[in-house]
Amino acid sequence: MTENDKKTDVTKANRRKFLTSSAVIGTSVVGAIACKNEETTAPPTGPALPTAAPAAHGAAASVEPGKLDDYYGFWSGGQSGEIRILGLPSMRELKRIPVFNRDAATGWGATDHSKELLGGRNSGDTHHVHLSYTDGTYDGRYVFVNDKASARLARVDIETMEVDAITSIPNSQGTHGIFPQRHKTGLVFCNAEFRTPQVNDGRDMEDPTKYAAMHTAIDGETMEVKWQVMVEGNMDLAATDYKGLYSFATCYNSEGATDLEGMMASERDHLYVFNLAKIDAAVKAGKTITVGDSKVPVVDARGKDSEFVMRVPIPKSPHGVNVDPTGRYAVCAGKLSPTVSVVDIDKLADAFAGKIKPRDCVVAEPEVGLGPLHTAYDGRGNAYTSIFIDSVVTKWNIAKAIEAFKSPDKKIDPILQKIDVHYQIGHINASMSETKDADGKWLIALCKFSKDRFLNVGPLHPENDQLIDISGDEMKLVHDGPTFPEPHDAVIVTKDKIHPKKIQPRTIERFKLYDKWAKEDGVDLQKDNKVIRNGKNVRVYITSLAPKFGTGEFKVKAGDTVQVIVSNQDNVEDLSHGFCVCGHDVNFLVNAQDTNSMTFVAEKPGVYWYYCPWFCHALHLEMRGRMIVEA
Ligand code: RUQ
Ligand code: CUA
């Protein structure tokens, strides 16, 4: 061993110690090695490294090679338009699910099926991912995600981890906060952040007082838009209670302004509370209007509080609204006020009935720091609020905050701890925090800036998703996770809730397409390799079985529109093939037992090799054939 090798070895050993739990360090052998290494390694020169503490509850943030994580993390991908799946606590990225984006690896956005779902768009902006619920906890069926850019809601089927539906939301721009009902897979609520003329066809453009925004309910089972409620203000984040009585939307622009100064003018904006039973009754009774070309029933609830909508005053330009795991409190983060406002959901009925004022539903308003945005929970009565301007997470106790609000003279301090995060945190979430099963193990801080935390990679830096251990009395930062821009939000789900299939089920909706074509052409998808011509449209059916395609060549004519339909006969876990045609922008994935297809024009005569782009076999490179385009 050279001196250098030894150094690397020692560093490695130290790193291990650094990442291993105190419980393991405590055992004699590892402990001895660690101690020895401590003596022989000189501390690094330069600025002191930020240290990460081992987890207090004895489960380390590192997961050994070959070991599985305890949690699935579902991350939105922001302007990348995708969803990402991470394992926690390791923070290993396991998968990316293309949603609103064009993804070259899988062909998403270019395959026939995905193109149809996306309706010709190639981009989107995913902010909020939430899973479907039953009885207040995740039921392992669907993931929902918004597209802020084009007002859409997409659904991912957890069995296949593939988008199975996309719904366009009428009369909406900037669809931002979304939240599903929690008592069952019922409605998913979607907030329009941007007020627009209703109808937006050229009328009322210069008169923003006429602009309005829609709170939209989409059926989580059918993905149909059920109804909309039109309000005068904008709507930012969304939440639901646990009983199916209410949905919520924060409003930061009650002023109805179109510029920054105007939007910040009022000291208080509000939380919209939507009374679902009343809205449902109005829709059933036909006491609705329609707006523009849309047939969706709209309840017009602009202006004043009514049986449909109530406005709970909240200081100042509130952003996040998060309901605690008991279902009792909705916590609204002030953003431009250093406070969070705790709304007692049990009081809302009295406020709707006019027995108390809407503001009387606020039962606590602790000062948590400058720029509070979102709140997560540990299931032990504590809340964790992300504080953007201060770059901290503030841990506070809900009961103490209520006590302090009730009896200001007692000088009760509900703030338990603040921890620095790096830097400018946006969303925050904790393991199972958005369910009644919040388990108080891990907290994730989605920091918008990483600054000096990682190697310089040019003008665009990664973001920094930091993992914080909240299992003990004190929060401890245990991991820095660089992410490609720009995840907004994440939910952390225990692994026993998520059961994807390992082989493609051929019964899902998408297969109706392929079965229809196959029937028309008298083809058995899983057996036949056939070219079916219909004028200038040619369908090419191809099978794949490692390491061969079912056919080594097919012929078409220059100018033909070619649809290649590939069915993978392999029935082995993870034995994916793909289909790529040189020079034609055709490249897509076909998983084990899957079928997938893409359509293109074969413009020029010549020989074009097609090949399998997924490394599937020792003879993967030989897995290819010729498309012969005749003049
Ligand atoms: S937002 S940083 Cu799009 Cu969820 Cu709060
Ligand atoms: Cu099939 Cu590579």
Side-chain angles (χ1 to χ4, degrees):
M1 231 191 224
T2 67
E3 264 316 295
N4 253 345
D5 286 344
K6 263 187 217 154
K7 248 191 214 154
T8 322
D9 231 49
V10 166
T11 313
K12 265 192 207 149
N14 257 12
R15 213 177 135 67
R16 280 218 50 70
K17 182 197 161 219
F18 173 75
L19 291 169
T20 317
S21 73
S22 44
V24 176
I25 295 293
T27 65
S28 57
V29 181
V30 183
I33 293 169
C35 282
K36 200 167 152 242
N37 288 341
E38 239 156 42
E39 286 159 17
T40 51
T41 317
T45 49
L49 290 170
T51 49
H57 56 86
S62 77
V63 177
E64 302 286 317
K67 292 269 158 58
L68 302 182
D69 279 292
D70 296 329
Y71 297 87
Y72 285 87
F74 292 86
W75 256 242
S76 65
Q79 57 274 55
S80 72
E82 62 197 16
I83 291 175
R84 300 165 192 168
I85 305 176
L86 274 69
L88 268 77
S90 75
M91 300 289 287
R92 296 178 291 200
E93 185 180 291
L94 307 177
K95 186 171 195 161
R96 295 181 168 201
I97 305 173
V99 182
F100 299 110
N101 54 321
R102 167 81 171 90
D103 176 58
T106 57
W108 186 260
T111 57
D112 295 317
H113 163 73
S114 61
K115 240 176 149 172
E116 201 177 296
L117 278 184
L118 289 165
R121 293 192 196 276
N122 273 322
S123 70
D125 188 10
T126 59
H127 282 225
H128 301 111
V129 272
H130 291 289
L131 277 59
S132 56
Y133 290 80
T134 300
D135 294 333
T137 195
Y138 298 129
D139 60 14
R141 300 178 65 204
Y142 302 118
V143 185
F144 300 101
V145 70
N146 74 307
D147 172 20
K148 180 168 173 171
S150 290
R152 291 176 292 179
L153 180 75
R155 185 177 73 181
V156 170
D157 178 354
I158 288 181
E159 279 208 338
T160 56
M161 292 296 186
E162 183 184 282
V163 172
D164 77 342
I166 295 179
T167 298
S168 285
I169 304 172
N171 302 311
S172 292
Q173 283 183 31
T175 293
H176 191 214
I178 64 156
F179 217 102
Q181 288 191 299
R182 293 194 235 218
H183 62 300
K184 61 169 190 181
T185 310
L187 301 171
V188 184
F189 301 100
C190 305
N191 286 342
E193 187 183 336
F194 304 145
R195 303 163 66 246
T196 54
Q198 305 285 351
V199 186
N200 193 22
D201 60 356
R203 71 187 77 173
D204 301 333
M205 293 194 290
E206 301 299 337
D207 186 3
T209 62
K210 295 225 173 92
Y211 294 5
M214 297 289 190
H215 182 67
T216 301
I218 294 175
D219 185 321
E221 301 277 4
T222 63
M223 289 296 278
E224 272 168 10
V225 182
K226 285 305 218 198
W227 48 254
Q228 300 186 293
V229 175
M230 179 157 56
V231 292
E232 71 296 336
N234 83 318
M235 283 171 288
D236 197 11
L237 271 295
T240 58
D241 65 347
Y242 276 74
K243 294 179 184 158
L245 301 177
Y246 306 110
S247 59
F248 304 102
T250 49
C251 169
Y252 62 76
N253 183 19
S254 59
E255 300 87 344
T258 52
D259 61 346
L260 181 69
E261 291 72 21
M263 293 187 205
M264 298 195 315
S266 303
E267 282 309 309
R268 277 182 183 170
D269 296 277
H270 52 254
L271 176 74
Y272 282 113
V273 182
F274 297 89
N275 191 338
L276 301 177
K278 297 287 181 192
I279 293 164
D280 192 53
V283 171
K284 287 208 174 104
K287 291 184 185 151
T288 50
I289 55 169
T290 58
V291 175
D293 299 336
S294 161
K295 300 264 182 307
V296 173
V298 176
V299 174
D300 185 353
R302 285 175 295 174
K304 286 201 304 282
D305 285 352
S306 64
E307 56 178 341
F308 306 118
V309 183
M310 181 168 60
R311 295 152 187 82
V312 179
I314 306 284
K316 167 182 185 173
S317 298
H319 183 58
V321 48
N322 299 90
V323 173
D324 84 312
T326 69
R328 176 83 189 260
Y329 303 111
V331 173
C332 306
K335 192 168 76 186
L336 301 185
S337 162
T339 53
V340 286
S341 305
V342 181
V343 174
D344 186 341
I345 293 172
D346 286 355
K347 289 186 187 257
L348 293 173
D350 277 354
F352 267 111
K355 292 183 196 155
I356 56 172
K357 293 221 175 69
R359 177 66 194 174
D360 295 338
C361 300
V362 174
V363 294
E365 210 151 69
E367 278 209 20
V368 289
L370 288 184
L373 292 182
H374 299 277
T375 301
Y377 304 97
D378 62 9
R380 300 188 296 269
N382 302 313
Y384 301 77
T385 300
S386 59
I387 314 285
F388 181 82
I389 298 171
D390 286 342
S391 282
V392 298
V393 170
T394 300
K395 177 180 177 182
W396 54 280
N397 183 271
I398 302 171
K400 275 193 184 169
I402 294 170
E403 199 42 41
F405 195 72
K406 235 189 259 161
S407 333
D409 328 331
K410 285 202 204 151
K411 302 259 174 290
I412 297 165
D413 183 8
I415 307 299
L416 303 176
Q417 189 198 353
K418 292 188 181 185
I419 188 173
D420 287 336
V421 286
H422 312 84
Y423 303 88
Q424 264 75 47
I425 179 174
H427 269 277
I428 189 168
N429 225 326
S431 39
M432 299 297 284
S433 173
E434 291 288 359
T435 73
K436 64 173 187 195
D437 299 328
D439 65 10
K441 294 232 167 88
W442 300 106
L443 186 76
I444 188 82
L446 278 70
C447 299
K448 299 292 181 196
F449 296 90
S450 63
K451 296 182 189 175
D452 53 359
R453 301 292 278 193
F454 305 112
L455 289 176
N456 174 6
V457 288
L460 177 66
H461 296 202
E463 319 227 322
N464 190 10
D465 295 347
Q466 294 187 301
L467 186 70
I468 296 170
D469 176 5
I470 54 167
S471 61
D473 287 340
E474 300 241 302
M475 295 181 275
K476 292 203 169 98
L477 175 63
V478 292
H479 182 86
D480 269 16
T483 47
F484 184 65
E486 174 179 311
H488 283 251
D489 197 4
V491 292
I492 306 167
V493 184
T494 47
K495 66 177 165 196
D496 60 304
K497 302 267 182 215
I498 306 292
H499 303 283
K501 292 255 193 304
K502 291 186 171 175
I503 298 280
Q504 179 68 41
R506 294 183 64 85
T507 44
I508 61 169
E509 196 62 24
R510 176 160 62 85
F511 280 80
K512 289 198 182 134
L513 264 184
Y514 316 131
D515 291 340
K516 184 178 144 252
W517 301 332
K519 208 171 158 209
E520 281 166 12
D521 295 334
V523 162
D524 182 340
L525 285 172
Q526 280 163 296
K527 282 207 194 93
D528 292 340
N529 287 270
K530 276 188 186 160
V531 178
I532 311 280
R533 175 172 289 280
N534 184 357
K536 287 185 80 62
N537 297 318
V538 184
R539 284 198 188 130
V540 183
Y541 293 91
I542 297 181
T543 58
S544 65
L545 186 69
K548 276 179 88 164
F549 287 113
T551 181
E553 69 164 71
F554 66 88
K555 286 190 179 130
V556 295
K557 295 219 157 44
D560 280 347
T561 297
V562 183
Q563 183 182 27
V564 177
I565 302 151
V566 181
S567 296
N568 186 353
Q569 296 174 319
D570 276 301
N571 201 352
V572 175
E573 211 176 304
D574 200 27
L575 220 175
S576 300
H577 300 288
F579 193 83
C580 177
V581 186
C582 293
H584 282 75
D585 217 7
V586 169
N587 195 346
F588 59 94
L589 164 72
V590 196
N591 289 321
Q593 289 293 299
D594 203 350
T595 294
N596 209 345
S597 72
M598 207 181 266
T599 304
F600 60 99
V601 178
E603 267 166 12
K604 285 193 200 147
V607 170
Y608 301 94
W609 284 95
Y610 55 86
Y611 66 93
C612 168
W614 292 78
F615 210 108
C616 55
H617 192 275
L619 295 171
H620 153 77
L621 290 174
E622 286 84 347
M623 187 166 176
R624 56 190 168 108
R626 288 171 305 154
M627 173 173 81
I628 293 172
V629 184
E630 296 169 335

